[in-house]
Amino acid sequence: GAVVSQHPSRVICKSGTSVKIECRSLDFQATTMFWYRQFPKQSLMLMATSNEGSKATYEQGVEKDKFLINHASLTLSTLTVTSAHPEDSSFYICSAEENRGQPQHFGDGTRLSIL
Amino acid sequence: KQEVTQIPAALSVPEGENLVLNCSFTDSAIYNLQWFRQDPGKGLTSLLLIQSSQREQTSGRLNASLDKSSGRSTLYIAASQPGDSATYLCAILRADKLIFGTGTRLQVFP
């Protein structure tokens, strides 16, 4: 089946650090990738949608300068949390779809903890 | 704004019970509805996907139904097992975006 690999699985770093999270589709080409954020005991909230070779589309209320998304190839999208602060601590999950409208395949998530 | 809610928020049952998890959504203009399982600290595993034109889907001990007109879906788990313990999320696909429910945390004890 379709596999999405997300790395790293856990990050602990100091306030002010920038953190990069990678999302890779291992056995298919993903025309679209999605980034979600999940607070403890809450649901997933879509942050942005990225298409290969074009700028990401951010959801309302998500700071595009804070959360930089790059989708440079059909198998890789990255999310960079710039100058992270404790309030950015959360669980970030990516997903990928091979073609628009097809089911999304999810990564295992990244637990980000900012001290 | 599309809202997706799930009831109950948490459920603890003994092994062997049949369960019903509920999901409701405010706008019936959906493309499909999915049920996911999420284990602690992990990503999502898709369980069942129901297209908007379908009424139900089955996979093993799981059965999901969809009633678009009333904005409701149910996930039925037969003969629950401790390994079923997880958070169950429903999500609707609308305008190419998945909108997730608040989840039901299920614990099945031996």
Side-chain angles (χ1 to χ4, degrees):
Chain A
V3 178
V4 174
S5 174
Q6 191 171 337
H7 179 80
S9 58
R10 185 173 181 89
V11 179
I12 302 173
C13 57
K14 295 181 179 180
S15 183
T17 306
S18 290
V19 179
K20 179 184 285 188
I21 303 169
E22 293 187 348
C23 181
R24 294 181 185 270
S25 56
L26 298 186
D27 52 1
F28 67 100
Q29 292 187 327
T31 57
T32 307
M33 288 187 171
F34 304 84
W35 287 96
Y36 297 85
R37 182 173 182 175
Q38 186 178 32
F39 290 103
K41 297 186 178 181
Q42 295 189 25
S43 193
L44 278 73
M45 299 297 294
L46 180 65
M47 298 174 65
T49 303
S50 72
N51 293 289
E52 184 266 339
S54 62
K55 290 184 178 180
T57 301
Y58 290 81
E59 295 300 300
Q60 189 174 7
V62 178
E63 300 176 59
K64 56 184 66 176
D65 294 331
K66 175 69 158 177
F67 300 99
L68 300 180
I69 292 172
N70 182 279
H71 193 162
S73 77
L74 285 173
T75 59
L76 174 64
S77 176
T78 60
L79 168 67
T80 301
V81 184
T82 62
S83 186
H85 289 92
E87 59 265 29
D88 298 322
S89 298
S90 190
F91 193 58
Y92 293 87
I93 305 177
C94 73
S95 70
E97 62 178 23
E98 189 166 3
N99 292 299
R100 214 70 177 110
Q102 290 188 338
Q104 296 176 27
H105 304 285
F106 286 81
D108 276 344
T110 297
R111 171 73 58 193
L112 176 62
S113 300
I114 307 298
L115 304 178
Chain B
K1 179 182 177 183
Q2 180 70 266
E3 289 187 345
V4 183
T5 57
Q6 292 184 243
I7 295 173
L11 187 61
S12 183
V13 299
E15 183 177 8
E17 279 203 6
N18 300 324
L19 311 171
V20 176
L21 308 182
N22 298 290
C23 172
S24 61
F25 45 95
T26 54
D27 190 338
S28 62
I30 64 172
Y31 186 73
N32 63 43
L33 184 144
Q34 277 187 273
W35 282 92
F36 295 89
R37 168 184 174 139
Q38 184 177 30
D39 291 290
K42 296 294 186 180
L44 305 183
T45 301
S46 180
L47 298 174
L48 290 165
L49 184 152
I50 311 175
Q51 300 290 351
S52 62
S53 58
Q54 298 175 322
R55 301 226 12 123
E56 67 176 342
Q57 283 286 332
T58 299
S59 176
R61 294 182 294 109
L62 306 179
N63 175 274
S65 66
L66 174 63
D67 184 343
K68 275 183 54 179
S69 61
S70 66
R72 298 181 66 175
S73 176
T74 60
L75 177 66
Y76 177 81
I77 303 176
S80 59
Q81 303 171 356
D84 295 330
S85 299
T87 295
Y88 290 81
L89 297 165
C90 70
I92 59 170
L93 182 66
R94 185 171 183 273
D96 291 334
K97 296 178 183 179
L98 278 175
I99 302 171
F100 285 86
T102 46
T104 293
R105 294 186 304 279
L106 173 65
Q107 181 180 9
V108 181
F109 53 90

